[in-house]
Amino acid sequence: MSSCDSCDENSVSTAGASSCTACNAGTVANDDSTECVLGECSAGTVANDDLTECDECMSSCDNCDENSVSTAGASSCTACNAGRVANDDSTECDECTAGTYREADMSSCVNCDENSVSSAGASSCTACNAGRVANDDSDRM
């Protein structure tokens, strides 16, 4: 009596088949190895219309402008508000740290002038009142 061997990982066969067929890129074998189903498509690819393969994206993505952000799949970018700056991968606007600020037309957060202070997320600094000086953190008056 002979036995039936299982197909290799990500390969499938039909009943009575004499060999297994490897699944296409972007697809994986279902639990009983009878058909290839769509796996997760990698970055830069999208599922085709019948959900059997991942195809290369037809258009390219443009980078967001400086201090603008977007989420995956977005069709446009959103500018960061004053007092915030885009993180390294342009997915979130981070607050400027205490002691720094960013006006809307500035490219980065900059230090407050001497004897001026700001809190996190500030769009400007405030000069200390007479009789007061900025502390080392520059975040309180």
Side-chain angles (χ1 to χ4, degrees), residues 67-104:
N67 286 319
S68 293
V69 297
S70 72
T71 56
S75 59
S76 64
C77 299
T78 303
C80 294
N81 292 329
R84 301 177 77 83
V85 63
N87 64 0
D88 289 340
D89 58 0
S90 296
T91 57
E92 293 182 19
C93 293
D94 295 334
E95 288 186 331
C96 291
T97 58
T100 67
Y101 72 102
R102 185 182 84 82
E103 295 174 0

Side-chain angles (χ1 to χ4, degrees), residues 52-118:
T52 57
E53 294 183 77
C54 294
D55 295 330
E56 293 293 318
C57 292
M58 299 307 289
S59 62
S60 63
C61 297
D62 294 323
N63 289 328
C64 290
D65 290 337
E66 187 174 50
N67 286 319
S68 293
V69 297
S70 72
T71 56
S75 59
S76 64
C77 299
T78 303
C80 294
N81 292 329
R84 301 177 77 83
V85 63
N87 64 0
D88 289 340
D89 58 0
S90 296
T91 57
E92 293 182 19
C93 293
D94 295 334
E95 288 186 331
C96 291
T97 58
T100 67
Y101 72 102
R102 185 182 84 82
E103 295 174 0
D105 61 347
M106 299 171 77
S107 61
S108 62
C109 300
V110 296
N111 290 326
C112 292
D113 291 336
E114 188 175 348
N115 213 33
S116 293
V117 295
S118 73

